[in-house]
Amino acid sequence: MNQKARWIKHISIIVLYIMAQLIVLPVALVYMIMNQGQVDEEAVTRISLIANIIGFIIALIVIGILFIKIKAPFDFEIKYRQPWLVSLGWLVFGVVFAYITQIITSIINTQVLKNPMQSENTMEIMEIAFQYPFFILIVAILGPILEELVFRKVLFGEIFNALKINKYVAFTIAFLISGFIFAIAHMDFTHIIIYLGMSFVFSLIYVMTGRIIVPIIAHALMNTIVVILQFTFKDTIKDLEQFQELSNLIFYFFI
């Protein structure tokens, strides 16, 4: 019964995540129909971003209700569940370790794999955020929550829980698969190793605490710090190319 209930909850989370991402399409279509095909690109973008935020909020509300109504934790969540104070320590460790991992994987990505330093995904997101600051709500808060629920709680959790083999092997398989899917979802194929590195860190602190809230907060903190730094230094560093290289080297992974 618990497994069936968990599957219902997790499939619902994935569906809600996809709907939150795609809600902009019907909204933009309705807008263009109402304006008889006359397209104001700025108005369409603004309306689409607002619809995106509303979609994310609605999805999170429904998911919250699902978590309240359906309590079906994984075996490893029960086994490894840590007190809140210990979990706080893992949270701090996770944020620091994630930044170290970013630096190492970004160096490997550029120097060994010869991929470009700039992440198109990151730069596109920041361009939107600079132009429409309210979009930061998705970048810093709503996005990380939904992404951790989908890619860590559902994908990683289901795979790790289902593999009845050596726990280290199971962990490796689970974080690699969920990390690859995470990269594919972001359409950022030249930076897959960065996504895998973050998948490892967030999956690690999830398992070590048995609490999905820990990687959620770590992910949101990292995105928030990146946004603050990008906004702070955008006016003080005149050489945009130098700024992009600096921000991508130190704060490479941005979701």
Side-chain angles (χ1 to χ4, degrees), residues 90-103 201 218 222:
W90 276 105
L91 171 61
V92 175
F93 167 81
V95 173
V96 174
F97 188 35
Y99 278 120
I100 294 173
T101 302
Q102 285 178 26
I103 294 173
V201 175
M222 293 185 67

Side-chain angles (χ1 to χ4, degrees), residues 100-223:
I100 294 173
T101 302
Q102 285 178 26
I103 294 173
I104 295 173
T105 52
S106 65
I107 291 173
I108 295 173
N109 197 49
T110 55
Q111 300 302 315
V112 179
L113 301 179
K114 304 301 181 181
N115 285 318
M117 180 174 289
Q118 288 84 2
S119 168
E120 291 185 11
N121 179 61
T122 298
M123 300 314 298
E124 288 174 3
I125 288 174
M126 287 313 305
E127 285 176 9
I128 295 173
F130 287 144
Q131 191 171 0
Y132 305 97
F134 62 84
F135 184 65
I136 293 173
L137 183 62
I138 283 185
V139 175
I141 307 295
L142 303 180
I145 295 175
L146 265 179
E147 288 176 345
E148 288 304 308
L149 288 174
V150 171
F151 297 101
R152 220 69 54 208
K153 174 72 174 180
V154 176
L155 295 181
F156 170 84
E158 287 291 353
I159 296 170
F160 183 62
N161 191 69
L163 294 175
K164 305 305 180 183
I165 55 178
N166 179 278
K167 63 180 180 180
Y168 300 108
V169 176
F171 176 86
T172 302
I173 293 173
F175 95 75
L176 285 174
I177 292 177
S178 58
F180 270 116
I181 297 175
F182 193 28
I184 292 170
H186 285 78
M187 301 297 289
D188 200 354
F189 303 108
T190 59
H191 299 86
I192 286 180
I193 189 173
I194 313 296
Y195 289 91
L196 292 179
M198 293 302 95
S199 177
F200 169 75
V201 175
F202 293 147
S203 298
L204 177 66
I205 59 177
Y206 175 31
V207 172
M208 295 306 295
T209 60
R211 299 181 185 275
I212 190 60
I213 190 65
V214 177
I216 286 176
I217 296 176
H219 192 156
L221 278 175
M222 293 185 67
N223 280 22

Side-chain angles (χ1 to χ4, degrees), residues 224-237:
T224 300
I225 291 171
V226 171
V227 169
I228 291 173
L229 289 171
Q230 295 260 10
F231 269 86
T232 300
F233 289 112
K234 117 180 144 71
D235 294 327
T236 57
I237 299 179

